[in-house]
Amino acid sequence: MPHPSQNVAVEYRWAENQPDRLPALAADLVRRRVAVIAASGTPATLAAKAATSIIPIVFNSGADPVALGFVASLNRPGGNLTGSAILEAELAPKRLQLLRELMPNATLFGVLADPNFPATPSMIASLQVAASTLRLQLVVENARTDSEVELAFAAFSQQHVGAVLTGISVLFNRHPEQLAAMAARHALPAIFPFREHALAGGLMSYGSSIAYGYHQVGIYTGRILKGEKPADLPVQQVTKIDLVINLKTAKALGIEFPTGLLVRAEEVIE
C-alpha cells in the first residue's frame, strides 16, 4: 500500500536473469490487479503481454516492437502496450564499421550474442550483411550465462579475432564492469551497446544509455496512471545515439584512436 503522503505503490519483481521465471512473475502482478506494468527488456515484455491483454504495459525494448507483435504500428500501438524501442538490428552494423575504423588491418571480428534475446537473430543477420560488404569474417559466440560469457571471450582470444562486438542482452547489461574486465583480460578491443559499458571500463560504446530508456518508461507510466491509454501513445524510438570512447582503456590496450573517431565522439573518458 502507498504511504499516506503518496498516491502510488510500486511492486518490484526481479527474474534474477532467469527468463523462465518471468511468466510467473508477470502472472503474479496481474493477480494483484496492478494499474500498469513497466516491463524492462524484451523477454519481460513478452511475459507481460502473454499474461494480460487488459492491464497497460509500458516496455523498453531493443527489438522491433512491430515485428514481435507488441504493437500494430509505432505511431498507433492499438492495444494495451506502448513504450520505447531501440532498433538494435540497425545499430549493430554501425558498431562493426566503427570497429573496422579502429582496427583497419583486422579481418576477423568476434560477436558476443545471447540466443535467448529475441532480437539476436535479426542482429546477426544485419551484421552478416555488413561484414560481407566490408569483406570481413565474423566469429559468433553464444552466451546464456556468466560462465558462457567467459568461455566466449576465451574462444575469441584463441581464434585471434581483431576485436569484439557485444550484442544486447539482459545478461550483458547486468554487470558491465565484468564484461569490460573480461575484454581487458584477453586484451581484446570491444564495442558495447550502452554508454554504461564504456563508463565501466569498456573501450567504447555506440548506442543509447540504459538510464535514458528507463526514463522514457517512467514518463509513459506516469501518463497512463493519469488516465491516458497505451493505444494512443506512440512508441518512442530512441534517437539519442552516442559514441563514447574510453581513452584510459585504450591506453591500457596500447590502442591509439584515429582522430576521425575521436572528433565524432559525444563523450571521451580520460
Side-chain angles (χ1 to χ4, degrees):
M1 291 293 292
H3 185 273
S5 65
Q6 299 170 326
N7 59 6
V8 173
V10 181
E11 291 280 348
Y12 292 97
R13 295 293 181 273
W14 305 99
E16 297 175 346
N17 203 46
Q18 298 175 51
D20 56 329
R21 293 183 57 195
L22 287 167
L25 295 175
D28 179 46
L29 291 175
V30 171
R31 278 194 302 272
R32 289 173 181 267
R33 298 182 181 179
V34 296
V36 59
I37 296 173
S40 173
T42 306
T45 307
L46 287 166
K49 182 177 183 291
T52 179
S53 60
I54 299 168
I55 296 173
I57 298 165
V58 183
F59 60 78
N60 178 27
S61 175
D64 183 341
V66 177
L68 287 175
F70 292 168
V71 295
S73 72
L74 296 179
N75 287 334
R76 296 181 178 273
N80 65 314
L81 283 81
T82 188
S84 69
I86 305 170
L87 299 184
E88 186 56 23
E90 296 176 8
L91 292 178
K94 180 62 177 175
R95 293 190 191 111
L96 184 62
Q97 290 172 16
L98 290 167
L99 277 183
R100 176 67 186 276
E101 282 187 59
L102 180 63
M103 311 293 290
N105 296 323
T107 56
L108 186 64
F109 290 84
V111 178
L112 181 67
D114 180 354
N116 288 339
F117 189 72
T120 294
S122 61
M123 180 199 74
I124 297 297
S126 66
L127 280 173
Q128 295 286 10
V129 171
S132 176
T133 302
L134 295 168
R135 296 184 178 178
L136 304 174
Q137 286 185 292
L138 299 180
V139 174
V140 179
E141 292 289 341
N142 289 319
R144 300 172 183 84
T145 64
D146 290 330
S147 59
E148 287 183 354
V149 171
E150 291 193 30
L151 290 172
F153 272 97
F156 290 142
S157 182
Q158 288 164 6
Q159 294 178 75
H160 304 291
V161 301
V164 173
L165 183 152
T166 302
I168 277 191
S169 160
V170 176
L171 171 65
F172 305 157
N173 298 346
R174 191 176 53 167
H175 301 303
E177 297 90 353
Q178 291 182 13
L179 216 54
M182 261 181 250
R185 189 160 64 244
H186 291 283
L188 286 168
I191 190 166
F192 300 93
F194 293 113
R195 174 175 178 267
E196 284 80 358
H197 290 104
L199 294 179
L203 179 63
M204 61 177 168
S205 67
Y206 183 75
S208 182
S209 89
I210 296 171
Y212 180 80
Y214 288 144
H215 181 69
Q216 295 300 112
V217 169
I219 290 172
Y220 265 14
T221 299
R223 288 175 66 175
I224 289 170
L225 287 172
K226 288 178 179 177
E228 294 189 59
K229 306 293 183 188
D232 302 328
L233 294 172
V235 174
Q236 298 290 315
Q237 287 196 70
V238 176
T239 55
K240 191 181 186 307
I241 307 300
D242 294 336
L243 172 63
V244 182
I245 291 172
N246 191 319
L247 286 183
K248 186 177 177 183
T249 301
K251 186 177 180 181
L253 290 170
I255 290 173
E256 191 164 331
F257 269 86
T259 305
L261 273 179
L262 287 172
V263 297
R264 276 148 52 201
E266 279 74 19
E267 187 174 355
V268 176
I269 299 164
E270 301 185 69

PDB file of all heavy atoms in Angstrom, residues 140-169:
ATOM      1  N   VAL A 140      30.821 -15.849 -34.293  1.00  0.00           N
ATOM      2  CA  VAL A 140      29.724 -15.618 -33.353  1.00  0.00           C
ATOM      3  C   VAL A 140      29.808 -16.633 -32.218  1.00  0.00           C
ATOM      4  O   VAL A 140      29.837 -17.845 -32.452  1.00  0.00           O
ATOM      5  CB  VAL A 140      28.353 -15.728 -34.048  1.00  0.00           C
ATOM      6  CG1 VAL A 140      27.227 -15.510 -33.036  1.00  0.00           C
ATOM      7  CG2 VAL A 140      28.252 -14.722 -35.186  1.00  0.00           C
ATOM      8  N   GLU A 141      29.885 -16.125 -30.996  1.00  0.00           N
ATOM      9  CA  GLU A 141      29.885 -16.986 -29.821  1.00  0.00           C
ATOM     10  C   GLU A 141      28.630 -16.682 -29.002  1.00  0.00           C
ATOM     11  O   GLU A 141      28.368 -15.531 -28.652  1.00  0.00           O
ATOM     12  CB  GLU A 141      31.133 -16.749 -28.960  1.00  0.00           C
ATOM     13  CG  GLU A 141      32.435 -17.204 -29.600  1.00  0.00           C
ATOM     14  CD  GLU A 141      32.575 -18.715 -29.683  1.00  0.00           C
ATOM     15  OE1 GLU A 141      31.845 -19.428 -28.941  1.00  0.00           O
ATOM     16  OE2 GLU A 141      33.408 -19.192 -30.471  1.00  0.00           O
ATOM     17  N   ASN A 142      27.852 -17.722 -28.723  1.00  0.00           N
ATOM     18  CA  ASN A 142      26.623 -17.559 -27.941  1.00  0.00           C
ATOM     19  C   ASN A 142      26.908 -17.707 -26.454  1.00  0.00           C
ATOM     20  O   ASN A 142      27.729 -18.532 -26.045  1.00  0.00           O
ATOM     21  CB  ASN A 142      25.582 -18.595 -28.355  1.00  0.00           C
ATOM     22  CG  ASN A 142      25.016 -18.311 -29.740  1.00  0.00           C
ATOM     23  OD1 ASN A 142      24.748 -17.158 -30.076  1.00  0.00           O
ATOM     24  ND2 ASN A 142      24.839 -19.335 -30.541  1.00  0.00           N
ATOM     25  N   ALA A 143      26.214 -16.906 -25.654  1.00  0.00           N
ATOM     26  CA  ALA A 143      26.383 -16.987 -24.198  1.00  0.00           C
ATOM     27  C   ALA A 143      25.044 -16.723 -23.520  1.00  0.00           C
ATOM     28  O   ALA A 143      24.405 -15.705 -23.773  1.00  0.00           O
ATOM     29  CB  ALA A 143      27.424 -15.979 -23.727  1.00  0.00           C
ATOM     30  N   ARG A 144      24.631 -17.657 -22.668  1.00  0.00           N
ATOM     31  CA  ARG A 144      23.377 -17.521 -21.923  1.00  0.00           C
ATOM     32  C   ARG A 144      23.615 -17.316 -20.431  1.00  0.00           C
ATOM     33  O   ARG A 144      22.708 -16.985 -19.695  1.00  0.00           O
ATOM     34  CB  ARG A 144      22.511 -18.781 -22.098  1.00  0.00           C
ATOM     35  CG  ARG A 144      22.127 -19.109 -23.517  1.00  0.00           C
ATOM     36  CD  ARG A 144      21.456 -20.461 -23.594  1.00  0.00           C
ATOM     37  NE  ARG A 144      21.128 -20.840 -24.957  1.00  0.00           N
ATOM     38  CZ  ARG A 144      21.980 -21.420 -25.799  1.00  0.00           C
ATOM     39  NH1 ARG A 144      23.238 -21.665 -25.418  1.00  0.00           N
ATOM     40  NH2 ARG A 144      21.609 -21.741 -27.024  1.00  0.00           N
ATOM     41  N   THR A 145      24.853 -17.556 -19.986  1.00  0.00           N
ATOM     42  CA  THR A 145      25.194 -17.465 -18.564  1.00  0.00           C
ATOM     43  C   THR A 145      26.538 -16.756 -18.411  1.00  0.00           C
ATOM     44  O   THR A 145      27.290 -16.595 -19.386  1.00  0.00           O
ATOM     45  CB  THR A 145      25.310 -18.860 -17.930  1.00  0.00           C
ATOM     46  OG1 THR A 145      26.405 -19.558 -18.560  1.00  0.00           O
ATOM     47  CG2 THR A 145      24.036 -19.671 -18.106  1.00  0.00           C
ATOM     48  N   ASP A 146      26.859 -16.357 -17.180  1.00  0.00           N
ATOM     49  CA  ASP A 146      28.145 -15.696 -16.919  1.00  0.00           C
ATOM     50  C   ASP A 146      29.319 -16.582 -17.321  1.00  0.00           C
ATOM     51  O   ASP A 146      30.298 -16.114 -17.896  1.00  0.00           O
ATOM     52  CB  ASP A 146      28.255 -15.338 -15.429  1.00  0.00           C
ATOM     53  CG  ASP A 146      27.307 -14.206 -15.044  1.00  0.00           C
ATOM     54  OD1 ASP A 146      27.010 -13.361 -15.904  1.00  0.00           O
ATOM     55  OD2 ASP A 146      26.860 -14.178 -13.883  1.00  0.00           O
ATOM     56  N   SER A 147      29.209 -17.878 -17.022  1.00  0.00           N
ATOM     57  CA  SER A 147      30.318 -18.792 -17.342  1.00  0.00           C
ATOM     58  C   SER A 147      30.481 -18.935 -18.853  1.00  0.00           C
ATOM     59  O   SER A 147      31.608 -19.058 -19.357  1.00  0.00           O
ATOM     60  CB  SER A 147      30.092 -20.162 -16.698  1.00  0.00           C
ATOM     61  OG  SER A 147      28.880 -20.734 -17.139  1.00  0.00           O
ATOM     62  N   GLU A 148      29.371 -18.892 -19.589  1.00  0.00           N
ATOM     63  CA  GLU A 148      29.455 -18.987 -21.048  1.00  0.00           C
ATOM     64  C   GLU A 148      30.058 -17.718 -21.653  1.00  0.00           C
ATOM     65  O   GLU A 148      30.698 -17.768 -22.699  1.00  0.00           O
ATOM     66  CB  GLU A 148      28.082 -19.278 -21.652  1.00  0.00           C
ATOM     67  CG  GLU A 148      27.615 -20.718 -21.405  1.00  0.00           C
ATOM     68  CD  GLU A 148      26.291 -21.028 -22.074  1.00  0.00           C
ATOM     69  OE1 GLU A 148      25.647 -20.119 -22.646  1.00  0.00           O
ATOM     70  OE2 GLU A 148      25.877 -22.200 -22.014  1.00  0.00           O
ATOM     71  N   VAL A 149      29.840 -16.573 -20.989  1.00  0.00           N
ATOM     72  CA  VAL A 149      30.467 -15.325 -21.446  1.00  0.00           C
ATOM     73  C   VAL A 149      31.987 -15.459 -21.340  1.00  0.00           C
ATOM     74  O   VAL A 149      32.730 -15.078 -22.258  1.00  0.00           O
ATOM     75  CB  VAL A 149      29.973 -14.117 -20.622  1.00  0.00           C
ATOM     76  CG1 VAL A 149      30.796 -12.873 -20.952  1.00  0.00           C
ATOM     77  CG2 VAL A 149      28.498 -13.850 -20.889  1.00  0.00           C
ATOM     78  N   GLU A 150      32.452 -16.019 -20.224  1.00  0.00           N
ATOM     79  CA  GLU A 150      33.900 -16.218 -20.045  1.00  0.00           C
ATOM     80  C   GLU A 150      34.457 -17.156 -21.114  1.00  0.00           C
ATOM     81  O   GLU A 150      35.532 -16.915 -21.671  1.00  0.00           O
ATOM     82  CB  GLU A 150      34.171 -16.770 -18.644  1.00  0.00           C
ATOM     83  CG  GLU A 150      33.891 -15.765 -17.540  1.00  0.00           C
ATOM     84  CD  GLU A 150      34.464 -16.207 -16.202  1.00  0.00           C
ATOM     85  OE1 GLU A 150      35.487 -16.902 -16.195  1.00  0.00           O
ATOM     86  OE2 GLU A 150      33.881 -15.827 -15.179  1.00  0.00           O
ATOM     87  N   LEU A 151      33.725 -18.235 -21.400  1.00  0.00           N
ATOM     88  CA  LEU A 151      34.158 -19.186 -22.425  1.00  0.00           C
ATOM     89  C   LEU A 151      34.205 -18.512 -23.804  1.00  0.00           C
ATOM     90  O   LEU A 151      35.092 -18.793 -24.611  1.00  0.00           O
ATOM     91  CB  LEU A 151      33.215 -20.389 -22.464  1.00  0.00           C
ATOM     92  CG  LEU A 151      33.285 -21.345 -21.267  1.00  0.00           C
ATOM     93  CD1 LEU A 151      32.171 -22.382 -21.345  1.00  0.00           C
ATOM     94  CD2 LEU A 151      34.650 -22.049 -21.224  1.00  0.00           C
ATOM     95  N   ALA A 152      33.240 -17.626 -24.059  1.00  0.00           N
ATOM     96  CA  ALA A 152      33.186 -16.931 -25.348  1.00  0.00           C
ATOM     97  C   ALA A 152      34.420 -16.052 -25.543  1.00  0.00           C
ATOM     98  O   ALA A 152      35.038 -16.068 -26.612  1.00  0.00           O
ATOM     99  CB  ALA A 152      31.913 -16.093 -25.440  1.00  0.00           C
ATOM    100  N   PHE A 153      34.794 -15.300 -24.502  1.00  0.00           N
ATOM    101  CA  PHE A 153      35.969 -14.426 -24.625  1.00  0.00           C
ATOM    102  C   PHE A 153      37.245 -15.258 -24.784  1.00  0.00           C
ATOM    103  O   PHE A 153      38.156 -14.865 -25.527  1.00  0.00           O
ATOM    104  CB  PHE A 153      36.066 -13.483 -23.428  1.00  0.00           C
ATOM    105  CG  PHE A 153      35.310 -12.204 -23.626  1.00  0.00           C
ATOM    106  CD1 PHE A 153      34.034 -12.051 -23.116  1.00  0.00           C
ATOM    107  CD2 PHE A 153      35.860 -11.150 -24.347  1.00  0.00           C
ATOM    108  CE1 PHE A 153      33.321 -10.865 -23.313  1.00  0.00           C
ATOM    109  CE2 PHE A 153      35.167  -9.966 -24.552  1.00  0.00           C
ATOM    110  CZ  PHE A 153      33.887  -9.831 -24.035  1.00  0.00           C
ATOM    111  N   ALA A 154      37.294 -16.394 -24.114  1.00  0.00           N
ATOM    112  CA  ALA A 154      38.449 -17.283 -24.279  1.00  0.00           C
ATOM    113  C   ALA A 154      38.521 -17.788 -25.720  1.00  0.00           C
ATOM    114  O   ALA A 154      39.599 -17.860 -26.318  1.00  0.00           O
ATOM    115  CB  ALA A 154      38.347 -18.451 -23.303  1.00  0.00           C
ATOM    116  N   ALA A 155      37.359 -18.113 -26.293  1.00  0.00           N
ATOM    117  CA  ALA A 155      37.310 -18.584 -27.683  1.00  0.00           C
ATOM    118  C   ALA A 155      37.728 -17.483 -28.653  1.00  0.00           C
ATOM    119  O   ALA A 155      38.462 -17.727 -29.620  1.00  0.00           O
ATOM    120  CB  ALA A 155      35.903 -19.069 -28.019  1.00  0.00           C
ATOM    121  N   PHE A 156      37.286 -16.245 -28.395  1.00  0.00           N
ATOM    122  CA  PHE A 156      37.695 -15.119 -29.244  1.00  0.00           C
ATOM    123  C   PHE A 156      39.214 -14.965 -29.230  1.00  0.00           C
ATOM    124  O   PHE A 156      39.844 -14.743 -30.256  1.00  0.00           O
ATOM    125  CB  PHE A 156      37.056 -13.813 -28.752  1.00  0.00           C
ATOM    126  CG  PHE A 156      35.570 -13.719 -28.960  1.00  0.00           C
ATOM    127  CD1 PHE A 156      34.756 -13.118 -27.997  1.00  0.00           C
ATOM    128  CD2 PHE A 156      34.975 -14.220 -30.110  1.00  0.00           C
ATOM    129  CE1 PHE A 156      33.390 -13.019 -28.185  1.00  0.00           C
ATOM    130  CE2 PHE A 156      33.600 -14.125 -30.313  1.00  0.00           C
ATOM    131  CZ  PHE A 156      32.808 -13.528 -29.338  1.00  0.00           C
ATOM    132  N   SER A 157      39.791 -15.100 -28.038  1.00  0.00           N
ATOM    133  CA  SER A 157      41.233 -14.955 -27.885  1.00  0.00           C
ATOM    134  C   SER A 157      41.968 -16.059 -28.635  1.00  0.00           C
ATOM    135  O   SER A 157      42.950 -15.805 -29.347  1.00  0.00           O
ATOM    136  CB  SER A 157      41.591 -14.978 -26.395  1.00  0.00           C
ATOM    137  OG  SER A 157      42.975 -14.803 -26.207  1.00  0.00           O
ATOM    138  N   GLN A 158      41.461 -17.292 -28.504  1.00  0.00           N
ATOM    139  CA  GLN A 158      42.101 -18.438 -29.160  1.00  0.00           C
ATOM    140  C   GLN A 158      42.036 -18.330 -30.685  1.00  0.00           C
ATOM    141  O   GLN A 158      42.926 -18.792 -31.397  1.00  0.00           O
ATOM    142  CB  GLN A 158      41.439 -19.737 -28.699  1.00  0.00           C
ATOM    143  CG  GLN A 158      41.771 -20.111 -27.251  1.00  0.00           C
ATOM    144  CD  GLN A 158      40.818 -21.154 -26.685  1.00  0.00           C
ATOM    145  OE1 GLN A 158      39.971 -21.688 -27.396  1.00  0.00           O
ATOM    146  NE2 GLN A 158      40.949 -21.433 -25.396  1.00  0.00           N
ATOM    147  N   GLN A 159      40.947 -17.698 -31.170  1.00  0.00           N
ATOM    148  CA  GLN A 159      40.780 -17.591 -32.624  1.00  0.00           C
ATOM    149  C   GLN A 159      41.390 -16.298 -33.184  1.00  0.00           C
ATOM    150  O   GLN A 159      41.277 -16.031 -34.373  1.00  0.00           O
ATOM    151  CB  GLN A 159      39.287 -17.677 -32.982  1.00  0.00           C
ATOM    152  CG  GLN A 159      38.693 -19.049 -32.657  1.00  0.00           C
ATOM    153  CD  GLN A 159      37.216 -19.136 -32.964  1.00  0.00           C
ATOM    154  OE1 GLN A 159      36.825 -19.222 -34.128  1.00  0.00           O
ATOM    155  NE2 GLN A 159      36.378 -19.121 -31.939  1.00  0.00           N
ATOM    156  N   HIS A 160      42.020 -15.525 -32.285  1.00  0.00           N
ATOM    157  CA  HIS A 160      42.750 -14.315 -32.680  1.00  0.00           C
ATOM    158  C   HIS A 160      41.870 -13.314 -33.438  1.00  0.00           C
ATOM    159  O   HIS A 160      42.289 -12.781 -34.480  1.00  0.00           O
ATOM    160  CB  HIS A 160      43.975 -14.684 -33.527  1.00  0.00           C
ATOM    161  CG  HIS A 160      44.912 -15.639 -32.842  1.00  0.00           C
ATOM    162  ND1 HIS A 160      45.674 -15.281 -31.742  1.00  0.00           N
ATOM    163  CD2 HIS A 160      45.189 -16.952 -33.082  1.00  0.00           C
ATOM    164  CE1 HIS A 160      46.386 -16.331 -31.346  1.00  0.00           C
ATOM    165  NE2 HIS A 160      46.110 -17.347 -32.132  1.00  0.00           N
ATOM    166  N   VAL A 161      40.678 -13.069 -32.920  1.00  0.00           N
ATOM    167  CA  VAL A 161      39.842 -12.039 -33.544  1.00  0.00           C
ATOM    168  C   VAL A 161      40.471 -10.674 -33.296  1.00  0.00           C
ATOM    169  O   VAL A 161      41.168 -10.456 -32.298  1.00  0.00           O
ATOM    170  CB  VAL A 161      38.389 -12.073 -32.996  1.00  0.00           C
ATOM    171  CG1 VAL A 161      37.748 -13.423 -33.232  1.00  0.00           C
ATOM    172  CG2 VAL A 161      38.326 -11.685 -31.524  1.00  0.00           C
ATOM    173  N   GLY A 162      40.228  -9.747 -34.225  1.00  0.00           N
ATOM    174  CA  GLY A 162      40.819  -8.427 -34.089  1.00  0.00           C
ATOM    175  C   GLY A 162      40.134  -7.580 -33.039  1.00  0.00           C
ATOM    176  O   GLY A 162      40.762  -6.739 -32.388  1.00  0.00           O
ATOM    177  N   ALA A 163      38.822  -7.795 -32.861  1.00  0.00           N
ATOM    178  CA  ALA A 163      38.037  -7.044 -31.889  1.00  0.00           C
ATOM    179  C   ALA A 163      36.705  -7.763 -31.693  1.00  0.00           C
ATOM    180  O   ALA A 163      36.360  -8.669 -32.457  1.00  0.00           O
ATOM    181  CB  ALA A 163      37.816  -5.607 -32.360  1.00  0.00           C
ATOM    182  N   VAL A 164      35.966  -7.321 -30.682  1.00  0.00           N
ATOM    183  CA  VAL A 164      34.705  -7.986 -30.334  1.00  0.00           C
ATOM    184  C   VAL A 164      33.564  -6.975 -30.298  1.00  0.00           C
ATOM    185  O   VAL A 164      33.710  -5.865 -29.782  1.00  0.00           O
ATOM    186  CB  VAL A 164      34.808  -8.681 -28.955  1.00  0.00           C
ATOM    187  CG1 VAL A 164      33.450  -9.228 -28.508  1.00  0.00           C
ATOM    188  CG2 VAL A 164      35.837  -9.801 -29.002  1.00  0.00           C
ATOM    189  N   LEU A 165      32.427  -7.386 -30.849  1.00  0.00           N
ATOM    190  CA  LEU A 165      31.203  -6.607 -30.799  1.00  0.00           C
ATOM    191  C   LEU A 165      30.228  -7.327 -29.873  1.00  0.00           C
ATOM    192  O   LEU A 165      29.958  -8.519 -30.065  1.00  0.00           O
ATOM    193  CB  LEU A 165      30.621  -6.451 -32.203  1.00  0.00           C
ATOM    194  CG  LEU A 165      29.365  -5.596 -32.398  1.00  0.00           C
ATOM    195  CD1 LEU A 165      29.357  -5.006 -33.811  1.00  0.00           C
ATOM    196  CD2 LEU A 165      28.085  -6.401 -32.179  1.00  0.00           C
ATOM    197  N   THR A 166      29.720  -6.622 -28.880  1.00  0.00           N
ATOM    198  CA  THR A 166      28.801  -7.222 -27.921  1.00  0.00           C
ATOM    199  C   THR A 166      27.364  -6.833 -28.242  1.00  0.00           C
ATOM    200  O   THR A 166      27.050  -5.664 -28.413  1.00  0.00           O
ATOM    201  CB  THR A 166      29.132  -6.752 -26.482  1.00  0.00           C
ATOM    202  OG1 THR A 166      30.481  -7.110 -26.189  1.00  0.00           O
ATOM    203  CG2 THR A 166      28.225  -7.415 -25.477  1.00  0.00           C
ATOM    204  N   GLY A 167      26.512  -7.845 -28.328  1.00  0.00           N
ATOM    205  CA  GLY A 167      25.099  -7.599 -28.607  1.00  0.00           C
ATOM    206  C   GLY A 167      24.350  -7.159 -27.352  1.00  0.00           C
ATOM    207  O   GLY A 167      24.926  -7.019 -26.273  1.00  0.00           O
ATOM    208  N   ILE A 168      23.047  -6.953 -27.521  1.00  0.00           N
ATOM    209  CA  ILE A 168      22.201  -6.553 -26.396  1.00  0.00           C
ATOM    210  C   ILE A 168      21.681  -7.802 -25.695  1.00  0.00           C
ATOM    211  O   ILE A 168      21.333  -8.794 -26.320  1.00  0.00           O
ATOM    212  CB  ILE A 168      21.020  -5.682 -26.873  1.00  0.00           C
ATOM    213  CG1 ILE A 168      21.480  -4.240 -27.027  1.00  0.00           C
ATOM    214  CG2 ILE A 168      19.861  -5.735 -25.924  1.00  0.00           C
ATOM    215  CD1 ILE A 168      20.369  -3.252 -27.231  1.00  0.00           C
ATOM    216  N   SER A 169      21.668  -7.747 -24.373  1.00  0.00           N
ATOM    217  CA  SER A 169      21.166  -8.855 -23.562  1.00  0.00           C
ATOM    218  C   SER A 169      21.015  -8.372 -22.132  1.00  0.00           C
ATOM    219  O   SER A 169      21.815  -7.561 -21.659  1.00  0.00           O
ATOM    220  CB  SER A 169      22.153 -10.032 -23.613  1.00  0.00           C
ATOM    221  OG  SER A 169      21.955 -10.912 -22.537  1.00  0.00           O
TER     222      SER A 169
END
